[in-house]
């Protein structure tokens, strides 16, 4: 699908740091956005998860890890 013909791709491009290539790649990878119950489910599917650490039972949420494709697309796009 053409980038300019996709409403989702054009909306993604309005986010700072996301260009036409990245928006098209994300749109093509995800497909139907309605398949995801929430943004959290989409982020988990992509692999954007907070790093967790902490002593016995206490959980600290750290920086985002994973999603090599998304990180690469953000740099290239």
């Amino acid at each position: 699908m053409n980038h300019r013909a996709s409403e989702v791709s054009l909306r993604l491009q309005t986010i700072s740091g996301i260009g036409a290539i990245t928006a098209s790649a994300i749109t093509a990878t995800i497909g139907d956005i309605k398949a995801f119950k929430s943004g959290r489910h989409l982020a988990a599917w992509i692999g954007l998860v907070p790093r967790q650490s902490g002593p016995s039972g206490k959980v600290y949420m750290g920086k985002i890890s994973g999603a090599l494709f998304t990180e690469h697309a953000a740099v290239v796009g």
Side-chain angles (χ1 to χ4, degrees):
M1 178 178 272
N2 186 343
H3 165 68
R4 301 213 187 278
S6 170
E7 179 185 341
V8 174
S9 185
L10 291 173
R11 288 181 65 197
L12 282 170
Q13 195 176 356
T14 64
I15 299 171
S16 177
I18 296 184
I21 295 171
T22 305
S24 296
I26 291 171
T27 304
T29 302
I30 293 170
D32 183 17
I33 196 75
K34 294 177 183 171
F36 299 97
K37 192 175 183 180
S38 68
R40 181 173 284 198
H41 285 101
L42 172 62
W45 182 79
I46 292 174
L48 294 174
V49 293
R51 191 168 288 164
Q52 298 180 1
S53 65
S56 61
K58 181 70 175 170
V59 178
Y60 297 102
M61 300 301 229
K63 65 181 185 177
I64 300 293
S65 64
L68 182 61
F69 166 78
T70 308
E71 292 171 5
H72 177 72
V75 171
V76 172

